[in-house]
Amino acid sequence: DFTEMMRALGYPRLISMENFQTPNFMLVSEVLLWLVKRYEPQSDIPGDVETEQDRVFFIKAVAQFMATKAHIKLNTKKLYQADGYAVKELLKVTSVLYGAMNTQGGERADLPEEDSSKFKFDLGSKIADLKAARQLASEITSKGAVLYDLLGKEVELREARTESIARPLEINEAEKVMKIAINSVLEEVQKTKDMLSNVALDEASLEAKIEKRKLELERSQKRLQTLQSVRPAFMDEYEKIEEQLQKQYSTYLEKFRNLTYMEQLLDDHRRTEQEMFEEAANMLRLIQNRLKEEEQHLLKSGSKWD
């Protein structure tokens, strides 16, 4: 049962299936983040789920984390629904953690229920040990393959080594090889000296450019300070025009408010006239209907007298 597993793993809140009768994304995100931290405390999945984009990013990050770290495939659509279907996806993670907790020694199974609920299971260190073990196994396999190949060549190499050891050393050949090695080292030394001299030249050139840029920067700063301290000639006219514009804007606002008020009064007057016109039309219609009824009544009474 999901609620029992969460309680056994030490989840601080009480959970019931009634919490998932309606979509409850905040609870689902909280449980997911807690399970991820339970699986690997050093994980850096952000817990911000305020906007829709943040929620989508959060679900994708958790699903990718579980797929890469624990090889657990989660259905992101069902998790985003945050209802009863999401509980089935959460159960995939909780069942793994619950099963791992139950395998942590026989003494854990004999603990009372209250103590087992307080047990803090840290699977992150075990995952790190598992990764290190896999890496060491891979290195051992590769080293073993290389060693096997070298041992297969030992017969040929042994003969060549024995011949080389038995062959007398020739002074002239050794001197020739030493001269070639010395010349090679001298060439490398000369190349290194040339590179050092080039570095010194480049450094002097860069220092000259830096000094030039510093002088240009100082001149630009002095010019900027001079321009900031000088008041432009058009500022007086600009301030006067700005003051006039402010007055014109105040007048415009007043006239606009008056116009809006007058338009509202006109609309109310038209509405009142329309209502009065409709009322008069209704009264006229009633009078016409009454006259027609009286005329028909008179015609009927006249026909009786005849």
Side-chain angles (χ1 to χ4, degrees):
D1 188 26
F2 175 70
T3 57
E4 294 296 330
M5 288 183 182
M6 291 296 293
R7 187 162 63 87
L9 289 173
Y11 188 67
R13 291 177 53 185
L14 293 176
I15 302 176
S16 64
M17 294 306 297
E18 295 179 356
N19 298 130
F20 301 97
Q21 294 294 331
T22 58
N24 192 350
F25 191 87
M26 298 303 296
L27 180 58
V28 171
S29 62
E30 182 181 348
V31 172
L32 281 173
L33 190 60
W34 187 84
L35 291 173
V36 169
K37 294 294 184 182
R38 206 73 162 135
Y39 195 88
E40 186 171 345
Q42 291 80 17
S43 62
D44 55 352
I45 295 179
D48 189 10
V49 292
E50 295 296 331
T51 63
E52 181 179 356
Q53 186 177 2
D54 293 336
R55 294 182 177 185
V56 172
F57 179 77
F58 174 77
I59 293 295
K60 288 183 178 180
V62 171
Q64 185 177 3
F65 174 83
M66 287 299 173
T68 56
K69 299 293 184 180
H71 302 287
I72 300 174
K73 185 177 181 181
L74 299 176
N75 192 323
T76 56
K77 293 183 179 179
K78 292 182 179 179
L79 286 176
Y80 191 81
Q81 290 177 3
D83 53 7
Y85 292 101
V87 177
K88 296 181 180 180
E89 302 301 318
L90 295 174
L91 192 59
K92 296 178 182 179
V93 184
T94 53
S95 60
V96 173
L97 293 175
Y98 184 76
M101 184 185 70
N102 289 334
T103 57
Q104 292 297 310
E107 66 277 6
R108 295 294 182 182
D110 298 333
L111 289 176
E113 186 176 358
E114 295 181 357
D115 295 337
S116 64
S117 63
K118 298 178 182 178
F119 172 64
K120 301 300 182 181
F121 178 69
D122 187 6
L123 192 60
S125 60
K126 302 300 180 182
I127 294 297
D129 295 341
L130 181 60
K131 290 181 180 178
R134 287 179 178 176
Q135 186 176 0
L136 288 175
S138 177
E139 291 180 359
I140 290 172
T141 304
S142 61
K143 297 292 185 182
V146 174
L147 181 60
Y148 179 79
D149 294 336
L150 292 176
L151 289 175
K153 299 177 181 179
E154 175 61 19
V155 177
E156 299 177 359
L157 295 176
R158 188 187 300 120
E159 295 178 358
R161 185 169 59 251
T162 303
E163 292 179 359
S164 298
I165 293 173
R167 187 174 58 188
L169 182 63
E170 296 182 1
I171 302 299
N172 294 330
E173 185 176 356
E175 185 179 359
K176 182 179 180 181
V177 173
M178 291 297 295
K179 286 183 178 180
I180 294 174
I182 292 171
N183 291 330
S184 177
V185 172
L186 291 175
E187 290 179 358
E188 293 294 331
V189 171
Q190 187 62 35
K191 288 181 180 179
T192 304
K193 289 182 179 180
D194 294 339
M195 291 175 65
L196 289 175
S197 62
N198 292 331
V199 168
L201 294 174
D202 294 338
E203 184 179 358
S205 177
L206 288 174
E207 289 180 354
K209 290 182 180 180
I210 291 172
E211 291 296 330
K212 183 178 179 181
R213 295 296 182 185
K214 284 183 179 179
L215 294 175
E216 292 179 357
L217 178 60
E218 291 178 358
R219 287 197 296 268
S220 299
Q221 289 179 348
K222 290 180 181 179
R223 185 179 179 186
L224 177 61
Q225 293 176 359
T226 303
L227 292 175
Q228 290 177 348
S229 61
V230 176
R231 181 181 174 84
F234 60 85
M235 284 301 297
D236 295 336
E237 184 179 0
Y238 172 77
E239 292 176 354
K240 187 183 297 183
I241 294 174
E242 187 177 9
E243 184 178 358
Q244 293 177 359
L245 180 61
Q246 186 66 31
K247 293 180 181 179
Q248 292 292 333
Y249 182 69
S250 301
T251 305
Y252 165 75
L253 288 179
E254 183 179 358
K255 290 184 178 181
F256 181 76
R257 287 195 295 269
N258 293 335
L259 178 61
T260 304
Y261 177 70
M262 295 300 291
E263 288 178 351
Q264 183 179 358
L265 291 178
L266 180 61
D267 291 339
D268 294 339
H269 180 68
R270 287 177 178 174
R271 191 180 303 108
T272 304
E273 287 184 348
Q274 183 67 26
E275 292 176 355
M276 292 176 62
F277 176 76
E278 291 178 356
E279 185 177 357
N282 292 331
M283 291 295 297
L284 180 61
R285 192 178 300 107
L286 291 174
I287 293 172
Q288 288 177 352
N289 292 333
R290 189 178 298 172
L291 290 175
K292 286 181 181 180
E293 292 177 357
E294 291 179 357
E295 184 178 359
Q296 291 178 359
H297 181 69
L298 291 174
L299 290 174
K300 289 180 181 180
S301 60
S303 61
K304 289 182 180 181
W305 287 103
D306 293 338

